[in-house]
Amino acid sequence: MAAVAVAGALLAAFAGAAWSASGWPSPGGEASSSSPAEGVEWLFEFGTRGSTPGKFAAPRGIAVGPGDVIAVVDRSGRVQRFQADGTFLNEWALPKSDTGTPTGLGFDHDGTILVADTHNSRMLRYSPEGRELARWGRYGAGEADCFVYLTDACVLPRGAGSPLGEGGIYVSEYGREGHDRVLGFASDGRLLTAFGEFGELPGHFRRPMGICAVAGPGGTLLCVADSTNDRVQGFDAAGRFVREFGGRGSGPGRMVTPMDVAAGPDGTLYVVEYGNHRVQRFTAEGRPLGAAGSFGTGAEQFNYPWGVAVNSRGVVYVADTKNHRVVALRFR
Amino acid sequence: MGIAFGNPYFLWLFPVLAAAAVWIARRSLSGLAGARRKVALGIRLVVILILTLLLADPRAERPDESVAVAFCVDYSRSVPEAELRRAAKFISEASGARHPGDRLEVVAFGGEAAIEQPFAAEFSGLAPSLHTWVDPEKTAIGAALRLAASSFAEGAGRRVVLITDGNENRGDVVAAVEKARAAGVAVDLFPIRYKHEEEVLVEKVTCPDHVTVGRKFELRCIIHSTVETTAEIDVLANNEATGGERLSAALPKGAARLTVLRAITGAEGGAARAEATVDGLPLAEGTRLAAGRHVVAIDETLELPGPAEARYRVLAGAAGAEAAVGAPAPIPLAGGRHARSLYVRLECGGAATLAVEHRGRGETGRAPAWETAAGGESETTLVLNGEGETKATLFVPRERMRVKLRPGKNAIALPQPVTTAGLHSFQVRIAPERDTVTGNNRAFAYTYASGDRPTVLLLDDDPASARLLLAAMASRPGRPETPFTIEHRPSADCPQTMLGLASYDAIVLSNVPAAAFSDEQKEMLHDAVHEFGVGLIMVGGGDAFGAGGYQGSAVEAALPVNMDVTNRKVTPKGALVLVLHTMEIPGTTEWGKRVAKEAIGVLGANDVIGVLYYDARGGGERWLINLQPARDKDELSRTVDDMVNGDAPDFGRFVRLAHEGLTADPRAKDAVRKHVIVISDGDPARPSPKELNDLASAGITLSTVLISGHGQPEMDTMRGMAEATGGRFYNVLDAKSLPRIFIKESAVVRRGMFMEETQRPRVADVSQMLQGIGQNDLPPLTGYVTTSQKRNAAVRPQYPLLSSIKDAEEDPILAQWEYGVGRAVAFTSDLGRRWATPWVQWGKYDRFWRQVIEWTLKKVSRADFESQVAVGGSDAEGKIVVFGEDEEGRTLDGLTIKGKVYPPSGRPAEVLLRQTALGRYEGEFDAGQEGAYYFAADAGGGRLITTGFTRSASAEYSARESDERLFAAVLRASGGREIREPARAFDRDLTRVDTRQPLWRALFWAALGLFFLDIAFRRLDIEYRALLAPVGFVVARLRRSRRKRAVATKTAAAVGGGVPAHGAAISPAGPEQPGPPAAPEGEPPAVAAGPPGAAGEGAGAEAGPGDGPAASGAEYMQGLFAARDRARRKRGLRKRK
């Protein structure tokens, strides 16, 4: 009997060790900073790998809209809507395509969803029920309605005084000479303005991804995650360069391949870093306030995350792409 | 269940052993008490009985039980399809008629046998196509029977049903039947009977072994027919339809004429009519043609009373000055009506008018149609008046010959022209009107044609480069005649068969990379030199020799130089960085890894390799393999295999890392050539112009390989990256193109193998090739590919003929050697496009190349060996017999003749001919395939034996009916019957014997158990009474409690009060009760008297009511005494032992 008990205990110990040791070894190179445990409250997560309702196939774009409704796009070409607690609401599929799937989306004030259908070079507008309301754009170069890769969209807060008019949409784009910029559309899809070019200088972009608007003391700031340049840039509504922050690294205030940026209700910015597997919080001036997450597949870890969104209560949702889930947390 | 014994004689052993056991027992069992002794002896006897039974091999015989039937189905070609379907239906019906428990198996056979459906209770019918594969070209019924017989499991009745047509051509079924019968397997037959009433087949085709180019010869074709019918005959030469002939003429500006003279000979009477149309429209007088291409069709209708021949002659040229253009071969025609067309393609340099004239026997007509009598001459003339020159090409299609066949043997002669030298194969096909089996309607023959002029094949993908050599070899006044013709083809048109290659006298590979040839072609090029004596010349350029990726190939083995420059003290090295990023689409990662591994494989040991990737394990852009020499390629390949690739967001960082490595890393920065290959799906963001410029200014080229890109933007990104640095862009749509890409790309790295400096080559040795060319004659070269001369004591010459000195190393420029039966030359500079430009204008350029090529031309003479080839009867074995005599008629003996046989498809096989008699040598080879085989062997001294053999349709096709005699023989040997009713297949009239393992085992364990019991019985003191104590105990307690109750009632009545509970333990319940629980002797429980139960009973203080001491006293004492006596006795017994 004793022998059996000992064997059983050993087995249990072994199993426990193996299970808890799951997850990849930490990446080489610079030490990545993980979350200061005091500053972050990990709330919950939802979603597992799959292409059925409530499941994700590499979720990349995430946005929060009126009523704190969450919308997520993933590699299966679906848009899924959830309540703030992760309860599934509805889903629909984008028009089928061989060329690829969307990587970003944004909400309009009326709850309609603007999806940046990246590899099809077009914007799609949907009602909350998933009915397609409008689409514009096609692949090409040089002409007014031709684009390459559209990566994310955002609509300025009401009354922000954008030259695009009420409901104007800012969309980031990259992919070809002359097409590394931020576009400004009227609410009906007419291209009104564009700014930016390829490069590393202020006002230049290399693969601009996430875009969001944050209200600040000087007015509304349009923030763009300039991923290959490892920085976030801020512009005014007219497209004039205001500031940049970031720079390659893993320490506080630095970032590696920021893929998305979102604005909190308190005017802070949240940046999700693909290369550092974390989400970092900044003031609108670019001062770092804290970070959360490290590489891995377990709790409090991310695996090459692409998207971040914040709701009206400051709950931060991270599209944890390679872990096929959305993680909710809050910075205190 | 009955029991039979395999070796019943052993049973007689029992009485003997039993008696012996009894006698022995008298002594060994003497210590036991009587009853025990008897039991011990009994056990021993039982053990001996069991052992004897085992020796006698008991088997259980079962009466009629389930039956297992194996159906062997003949899938060879001789069995008609309809009969196979009938057989399948038969099996299904038989399956339906089974009894429960019966099992069924299907064995398919042809040349060999395979189990199509193993034994199972369920049978769902024969699938339309077999799951297994058997060779349908042969029939081996015996093999099927052997396989079926060995596949039966034990225990059921066994029957094999053969379903065949009896046309056996491999093995012997009757022997197999006899063996099966001896093993107790019943063999029955379901014969497939048929007889082809109408059957036409080609028995064989013969032609002379040797012919001369330009002279006609005849193919003789023997056709068997069972009926009278007609058939059309087609001849394919070298697998191409001999469709027709083409003649070209140039018509000058102005008035010109092209006349087709037609003579129908051999038939008198009949009619002929001709019409001409141009571009489909009738030719009216003076039709206007625009400049460009037009096709004139001359439609002839001939009605012939009997067989005839149509002969044409063509004249063309300016009006009044026509010259003969040519005469196509005469076309044989059968009697009857023929509709034929000739086509003239006119390529008009300018606008023209066209008219047609017909002229017949004395009659002239300009009308579009014209009639005359056949049997004479007529002509059709195209009258052209053009503003520019016109090229006219006349195409005369061949008529498909029609023959009448009589029942029996028919011999048909088919004249054939031969226009090129070398080995030719012919396939004759017939299409009879009445026929049953079509598989036997063709046959092959071969011949070897020798021409008057050697032909040289020039493979060069650059037409301008080829023109340089062609121009130098063309005949020109004042220049001596070139003793060979030279034919230029792009490398993609290189002949794919040995036949095609061996028909040339020399092959020149001018700047052709290894990737242009398949592995088979490379081996054939090697064999063409080694076995067939074809000359091989490799001429350099940026894609030849080592830079072309020939290292380790069969072609390298045939050349006098090595691709790897191992003899240099300073080896120029290249550095390659691979960037691997393939993600989203499954399978593309594997392609990417393959390209990487193959690229690593082609690098030299001194070349430097580094691999970048995006780490899926969190680390981003990293080096998978740090820049290092490509030495341990297996290890490097394994690392690539283990790579787990992530989704890279951007190319720029990779470009930066590659640049940094190639310019700053000490292992790579001194490389002569630096190259980067990016393998990706194109998704990451593109690098900046500056990042790419940094590469370009550091002399680093970047090529991109796009695998499964989504769309245009990815292609643009990848293409742009390659263009910015002068690299190449590849869009890979299927995996087959990958090998060429990596060879080509890795060769870029090996461009460290060029030496690009202007230098005059040095004459290092004397040779026929350099006759009349001295050191001072040679112009300088501006570059060449570095190679190293092969140094092998057996190789002559040891030194290159021309060389260049660089870094104190002698690099070959021109090298030669003899390899096998042939000769090979390497010229490491080029024909003049890039590096040998000064040579093009050199006065002796043509002389140099003429001498080089001439030296390599096939020098082999055909040996005076007579050869015969035959195919052995039932097995497809070919035998080649060769007789050798020298010029004086004496036999050639003691030779070792090694050769190769080239089958119709697949790899060549080596054949060794052994001497079996004076001057006679024999060898065997596998002749299973249908088609033309040829054989080449070196008889020594530059003499080549070549011969061929054609195997026509397999023996299967010559079967015209089922073989009744074989049916009868099988039934005789097996004692079985012909099954006509499906249900009879599962009849139960079978005798079987089977062994029952369980019997054996059960008996064995029983014997073992008894054996130990015997020991135990004798050795152990077991109180059997004690063993039975629990039973007794329960019984006694029951009795005692009854008694106690009776006593208690009495006592209570007497005493009228409480009774002490004590005493119950001490009062034995009866004589069966064992001794006192105190057990003062201390005996162990097993041997001791009482089970704990008794003590327990005492301890439990069973207080039966009214258990008084009065009832137990005397009994108690009695029990004590009895126990004491018993214990004494036991001790005594034990002491004695």
Side-chain angles (χ1 to χ4, degrees):
Chain A
M1 283 306 288
V4 175
V6 169
L10 280 173
L11 203 68
F14 187 86
W19 183 66
S20 64
S22 67
W24 303 102
S26 43
E30 306 149 321
S32 61
S33 74
S34 64
S35 56
E38 327 78 60
V40 179
E41 183 190 348
W42 296 87
L43 296 171
F44 59 91
E45 66 176 71
F46 60 96
T48 54
R49 188 175 193 165
S51 332
T52 49
K55 295 199 182 195
F56 301 115
R60 292 189 289 185
I62 185 167
V64 167
D68 281 347
V69 161
I70 310 163
V72 180
V73 282
D74 68 1
R75 271 232 172 92
S76 64
R78 292 173 300 156
V79 180
Q80 297 189 64
R81 283 172 75 246
F82 301 88
Q83 287 178 1
D85 61 355
T87 311
F88 173 79
L89 289 173
N90 63 335
E91 71 161 17
W92 64 91
L94 263 55
K96 283 268 177 270
S97 101
D98 301 319
T99 48
T101 48
T103 59
L105 74 172
F107 274 91
D108 203 343
H109 303 302
D110 54 3
T112 58
I113 297 172
L114 294 151
V115 178
D117 194 1
T118 312
H119 291 272
N120 289 313
S121 312
R122 64 184 173 200
M123 291 297 301
L124 299 157
R125 186 196 283 271
Y126 288 98
S127 72
E129 296 77 36
R131 201 167 30 95
E132 186 184 313
L133 300 172
R135 65 163 79 170
W136 65 92
R138 61 190 168 90
Y139 176 69
E143 293 157 49
D145 63 342
C146 286
F147 312 109
V148 187
Y149 294 135
L150 303 175
T151 54
D152 199 9
C154 83
V155 176
L156 289 195
R158 272 198 232 274
S162 153
L164 302 179
E166 204 55 44
I169 309 160
Y170 291 91
V171 174
S172 41
E173 179 197 15
Y174 79 100
R176 204 176 151 145
E177 191 58 40
H179 286 262
D180 302 276
R181 55 194 178 163
V182 172
L183 305 159
F185 296 97
S187 154
D188 59 4
R190 276 173 303 129
L191 182 67
L192 299 176
T193 182
F195 59 91
E197 60 182 87
F198 186 89
E200 289 102 17
L201 297 174
H204 292 184
F205 299 108
R206 284 186 71 167
R207 189 165 180 166
M209 296 293 293
I211 186 167
C212 77
V214 68
T220 309
L221 194 67
L222 199 60
C223 297
V224 181
D226 190 5
S227 63
T228 300
N229 282 330
D230 301 309
R231 64 179 178 184
V232 172
Q233 298 193 64
F235 302 86
D236 68 9
R240 282 182 292 255
F241 174 78
V242 172
R243 69 175 68 96
E244 66 169 275
F245 58 93
R248 192 175 180 88
S250 335
R254 302 218 151 238
M255 51 187 73
V256 173
T257 315
M259 287 294 211
D260 203 2
V261 61
D266 54 357
T268 53
L269 290 168
Y270 297 83
V271 179
V272 73
E273 297 175 52
Y274 182 77
N276 278 333
H277 314 282
R278 69 180 179 185
V279 60
Q280 228 188 136
R281 188 174 178 225
F282 294 86
T283 64
E285 286 77 35
R287 192 165 51 82
L289 296 173
S294 60
F295 177 73
T297 55
E300 304 184 14
Q301 291 178 322
F302 300 118
N303 189 345
Y304 288 113
W306 278 64
V308 67
V310 189
N311 74 0
S312 62
R313 305 297 172 90
V315 175
V316 180
Y317 299 96
V318 175
D320 188 7
T321 311
K322 284 249 152 317
N323 286 334
H324 309 284
R325 63 182 178 185
V326 173
V327 176
L329 55 118
R330 183 169 18 216
F331 282 81
R332 286 194 219 92
Chain B
M1 187 190 304
I3 298 191
F5 288 100
N7 302 314
Y9 302 107
F10 277 107
L11 290 176
W12 290 112
L13 216 50
F14 177 65
V16 176
L17 290 174
V22 170
W23 188 80
I24 293 169
R26 280 157 170 261
R27 311 186 81 229
S28 71
L29 292 180
S30 56
L32 292 178
R36 279 177 73 162
R37 191 154 153 216
K38 288 203 183 74
V39 175
L41 180 62
I43 290 175
R44 267 198 198 167
L45 288 176
V46 171
V47 171
I48 291 172
L49 174 67
I50 289 175
L51 287 174
T52 327
L53 284 177
L54 282 174
L55 283 172
D57 192 15
R59 289 147 180 242
E61 248 183 8
R62 276 183 310 169
D64 251 356
E65 273 198 44
S66 66
V67 172
V69 176
F71 291 94
C72 294
V73 186
D74 185 345
Y75 277 90
S76 65
R77 290 232 197 270
S78 56
V79 176
E81 277 283 332
E83 297 300 323
L84 269 183
R85 281 196 291 275
R86 207 163 66 81
K89 192 152 155 284
F90 169 79
I91 298 176
S92 294
E93 284 172 11
S95 164
R98 281 185 288 167
H99 299 267
D102 286 348
R103 275 145 69 249
L104 186 155
E105 167 181 78
V106 176
V107 172
F109 72 93
E112 62 282 320
I115 297 181
E116 168 69 9
Q117 287 199 27
F119 274 112
E122 299 89 42
F123 176 71
S124 47
L126 267 182
S129 55
L130 290 177
H131 297 129
T132 53
W133 181 89
V134 293
D135 180 10
E137 303 296 338
K138 299 178 203 58
T139 308
I141 314 177
L145 180 52
R146 274 194 299 275
L147 178 63
S150 67
S151 67
F152 285 106
E154 300 287 352
R158 293 172 285 170
R159 174 183 284 120
V160 173
V161 177
L162 297 174
I163 303 177
T164 173
D165 67 352
N167 285 312
E168 172 185 56
N169 51 35
R170 181 184 256 189
D172 179 12
V173 64
V174 174
V177 167
E178 283 163 5
K179 274 219 187 73
R181 190 181 188 179
V185 176
V187 179
D188 292 326
L189 195 60
F190 177 76
I192 295 180
R193 292 200 168 91
Y194 61 87
K195 189 172 159 98
H196 297 311
E197 291 301 338
E198 298 180 348
E199 180 56 24
V200 180
L201 58 89
V202 179
E203 184 190 302
K204 66 178 175 192
V205 173
T206 58
C207 70
D209 259 6
H210 289 95
V211 294
T212 315
V213 170
R215 289 229 289 252
K216 244 186 345 177
F217 69 98
E218 260 178 12
L219 287 171
R220 292 191 64 78
C221 182
I222 311 287
I223 303 177
H224 275 275
S225 176
T226 57
V227 287
E228 188 161 320
T229 180
T230 54
E232 288 191 353
I233 304 188
D234 228 338
V235 178
L236 278 77
N238 298 336
N239 282 330
E240 278 169 17
T242 47
E245 298 195 43
R246 281 183 173 79
L247 294 169
S248 297
L251 299 172
K253 222 166 27 173
R257 297 163 69 86
L258 184 138
T259 304
V260 178
L261 290 156
R262 182 187 304 114
I264 313 278
T265 57
E268 288 293 330
R273 181 189 152 98
E275 278 176 284
T277 59
V278 62
D279 295 334
L281 302 166
L283 245 186
E285 248 196 74
T287 303
R288 217 157 148 86
L289 299 175
R293 182 184 286 203
H294 303 273
V295 176
V296 175
I298 303 174
D299 298 319
E300 305 173 341
T301 313
L302 304 165
E303 272 162 21
L304 304 172
E309 214 176 55
R311 290 173 193 272
Y312 294 90
R313 270 190 311 138
V314 181
L315 304 172
E322 295 103 307
V325 172
I331 300 168
L333 300 169
R337 192 185 156 92
H338 296 267
R340 313 194 67 245
S341 302
L342 307 175
Y343 301 98
V344 183
R345 184 169 67 207
L346 298 169
E347 276 153 299
C348 302
T353 51
L354 179 66
V356 67
E357 283 174 13
H358 299 286
R359 207 168 301 148
R361 243 202 297 204
E363 290 148 29
T364 309
R366 282 175 182 261
W370 151 90
E371 274 196 36
T372 189
E377 288 190 14
S378 53
E379 45 181 84
T380 300
T381 305
L382 299 179
V383 182
L384 193 72
N385 198 321
E387 289 162 26
E389 271 187 31
T390 302
K391 178 164 169 231
T393 314
L394 181 75
F395 176 64
V396 181
R398 216 160 177 76
E399 174 86 356
R400 225 173 161 198
M401 188 173 169
R402 215 170 299 150
V403 287
K404 269 215 177 61
L405 298 171
R406 288 182 328 268
K409 228 181 202 185
N410 297 265
I412 316 279
L414 301 164
Q416 288 294 311
V418 167
T419 50
T420 53
L423 281 158
H424 293 266
S425 73
F426 297 96
Q427 188 186 140
V428 176
R429 290 138 75 110
I430 61 172
E433 263 173 63
R434 291 161 68 186
D435 193 15
T436 316
V437 177
T438 51
N440 50 16
N441 291 355
R442 57 180 186 274
F444 295 83
Y446 91 97
T447 187
Y448 187 90
S450 43
D452 50 352
R453 254 157 82 90
T455 338
V456 175
L457 174 64
L458 168 64
L459 294 175
D460 194 335
D461 291 321
D462 178 358
S465 166
R467 267 199 293 277
L468 293 172
L469 187 65
L470 293 170
M473 298 296 108
S475 9
R476 206 167 287 184
R479 185 192 278 174
E481 183 77 25
T482 313
F484 50 82
T485 43
I486 184 159
E487 185 186 315
H488 167 234
R489 286 196 195 183
S491 63
D493 285 351
C494 178
Q496 306 266 355
T497 59
M498 198 62 229
L499 182 91
L501 279 181
S503 48
Y504 292 101
D505 296 88
I507 300 177
V508 180
L509 302 176
S510 170
N511 202 20
V512 179
F517 303 116
S518 66
D519 284 342
E520 279 84 38
Q521 272 178 309
K522 292 200 267 269
E523 284 181 26
M524 285 197 293
L525 282 167
H526 168 279
D527 283 355
V529 182
H530 196 261
E531 320 282 339
F532 285 83
V534 177
L536 179 67
I537 303 171
M538 182 176 283
V539 179
D543 282 325
F545 296 102
Y550 282 98
Q551 36 280 68
S553 67
V555 175
E556 180 186 26
L559 291 172
V561 293
N562 280 321
M563 307 294 131
D564 233 333
V565 233
T566 48
N567 64 338
R568 301 186 74 82
K569 297 192 187 69
V570 176
T571 317
K573 74 182 181 200
L576 176 68
V577 171
L578 293 172
V579 177
L580 296 180
H581 166 258
T582 48
M583 253 310 287
E584 297 181 15
I585 304 184
T588 55
T589 311
E590 293 318 306
W591 287 6
K593 286 184 184 176
R594 228 182 98 189
V595 175
K597 284 190 290 189
E598 308 262 29
I600 291 172
V602 179
L603 293 178
N606 280 324
D607 295 323
V608 172
I609 177 85
V611 178
L612 285 166
Y613 80 124
Y614 196 84
D615 184 11
R617 295 194 179 99
E621 295 93 347
R622 314 166 66 174
W623 290 96
L624 176 72
I625 296 173
N626 285 312
L627 285 163
Q628 57 185 267
R631 220 160 270 148
D632 188 351
K633 299 193 182 176
D634 288 333
E635 181 62 38
L636 295 172
S637 288
R638 271 197 294 274
T639 312
V640 171
D641 271 330
D642 292 341
M643 169 189 74
V644 182
N645 225 333
D647 204 358
D650 151 64
F651 280 125
R653 198 159 302 280
F654 286 125
V655 170
R656 267 180 274 173
L657 285 170
H659 174 261
E660 190 188 306
L662 289 171
T663 52
D665 190 315
R667 280 171 295 203
K669 66 182 191 181
D670 59 343
V672 171
R673 289 298 303 188
K674 299 173 185 178
H675 190 55
V676 179
I677 307 177
V678 175
I679 302 157
S680 169
D681 61 5
D683 226 14
R686 67 198 192 284
S688 70
K690 176 176 181 305
E691 281 157 352
L692 293 172
N693 279 336
D694 285 346
L695 280 186
S697 21
I700 304 171
T701 46
L702 185 147
S703 287
T704 52
V705 179
L706 176 64
I707 296 182
S708 294
H710 300 298
Q712 195 63 32
E714 290 81 10
M715 276 193 9
D716 292 340
T717 302
M718 297 283 271
R719 187 180 290 124
M721 284 164 65
E723 281 172 4
T725 58
R728 277 182 276 231
F729 163 67
Y730 305 90
N731 187 5
V732 174
L733 297 166
D734 87 271
K736 282 201 287 264
S737 53
L738 289 175
R740 293 194 174 200
I741 294 172
F742 68 74
I743 286 188
K744 207 166 177 157
E745 285 301 305
S746 303
V748 170
V749 171
R750 315 221 72 213
R751 250 165 229 174
M753 313 218 47
F754 300 166
M755 206 48 74
E756 283 179 298
E757 270 181 25
T758 308
Q759 251 205 35
R760 205 178 283 266
R762 210 173 61 88
V763 176
D765 203 347
V766 174
S767 154
Q768 237 180 308
M769 290 199 274
L770 296 175
Q771 235 180 40
I773 298 174
Q775 176 70 67
N776 298 328
D777 290 319
L778 295 169
L781 295 167
T782 59
Y784 58 88
V785 183
T786 47
T787 52
S788 56
Q789 174 85 11
K790 282 185 180 161
R791 295 199 190 285
N792 182 338
V795 167
R796 302 220 136 255
Q798 296 252 333
Y799 301 98
L801 302 176
L802 292 181
S803 63
S804 178
I805 307 292
K806 173 76 189 161
D807 297 332
E809 296 285 353
E810 190 175 17
D811 289 333
I813 302 285
L814 178 70
Q816 68 175 70
W817 76 344
E818 293 185 12
Y819 186 67
V821 183
R823 295 173 166 185
V825 166
F827 182 72
T828 57
S829 190
D830 64 8
L831 286 177
R833 281 280 282 165
R834 181 174 166 184
W835 291 328
T837 18
W839 285 44
V840 179
Q841 300 309 318
W842 175 35
K844 294 189 176 171
Y845 178 80
D846 54 314
R847 181 177 187 157
F848 172 77
W849 281 110
R850 191 166 8 102
Q851 284 174 186
V852 166
I853 295 176
E854 223 183 329
W855 185 82
T856 59
L857 291 177
K858 216 187 268 181
K859 294 282 177 298
V860 291
S861 54
R862 304 195 45 82
D864 289 329
F865 278 74
E866 223 183 86
S867 52
Q868 278 172 22
V869 185
V871 170
S874 56
D875 292 293
E877 202 178 68
K879 200 188 190 84
I880 174 166
V881 181
V882 153
F883 303 90
E885 269 185 3
D886 67 7
E887 305 81 55
E888 270 123 70
R890 287 186 300 230
T891 55
L892 293 167
D893 299 304
L895 299 175
T896 316
I897 303 185
K898 263 205 293 217
K900 270 193 181 153
V901 164
Y902 293 85
S905 67
R907 302 208 99 96
E910 295 208 346
V911 180
L912 182 65
L913 298 181
R914 304 169 317 268
Q915 178 154 22
T916 53
L918 276 182
R920 181 188 164 111
Y921 300 80
E922 289 180 19
E924 284 96 31
F925 62 97
D926 175 29
Q929 291 178 44
E930 187 188 339
Y933 295 72
Y934 45 96
F935 167 78
D938 179 8
R943 287 170 303 181
L944 191 65
I945 307 171
T946 59
T947 186
F949 153 66
T950 50
R951 180 163 193 190
S952 300
S954 67
E956 291 294 321
Y957 290 112
S958 42
R960 290 208 288 273
E961 58 188 358
S962 44
D963 191 346
E964 282 300 325
R965 277 182 317 166
L966 189 124
F967 293 152
V970 165
L971 290 176
R972 244 198 325 271
S974 71
R977 16 146 237 198
E978 212 180 277
I979 299 187
R980 284 177 233 270
E981 299 289 320
R984 304 287 317 275
F986 284 92
D987 275 356
R988 278 156 150 60
D989 56 347
L990 296 169
T991 58
R992 316 141 253 234
V993 167
D994 72 340
T995 49
R996 292 270 283 172
Q997 295 266 33
L999 250 189
W1000 181 89
R1001 281 210 198 93
L1003 284 178
F1004 175 73
W1005 287 115
L1008 198 63
L1010 283 176
F1011 178 64
F1012 282 115
L1013 194 61
D1014 175 44
I1015 297 177
F1017 190 77
R1018 286 184 285 117
R1019 301 283 173 177
L1020 298 177
D1021 262 333
I1022 301 180
E1023 270 290 347
Y1024 296 102
R1025 295 183 173 195
L1027 279 179
L1028 294 169
V1031 180
F1033 160 66
V1034 173
V1035 169
R1037 277 198 54 234
L1038 282 172
R1039 272 200 232 140
R1040 202 186 62 217
S1041 49
R1042 251 184 282 141
R1043 224 185 337 180
K1044 279 184 192 150
R1045 245 175 272 131
V1047 167
T1049 329
K1050 264 192 356 217
T1051 318
V1055 173
V1059 177
H1062 164 77
I1066 337 176
S1067 77
E1072 290 299 310
Q1073 187 68 346
E1081 287 88 355
E1083 296 158 72
V1087 185
E1097 183 227 17
E1102 289 288 291
D1107 213 355
S1112 49
E1115 284 172 27
Y1116 170 64
M1117 289 314 293
Q1118 205 181 351
L1120 276 181
F1121 291 141
R1124 187 198 60 201
D1125 292 338
R1126 269 198 302 270
R1128 279 205 192 123
R1129 250 181 299 154
K1130 256 182 277 170
R1131 246 175 295 138
L1133 267 174
R1134 259 184 293 143
K1135 277 213 194 103
R1136 218 180 302 159
K1137 293 202 177 100

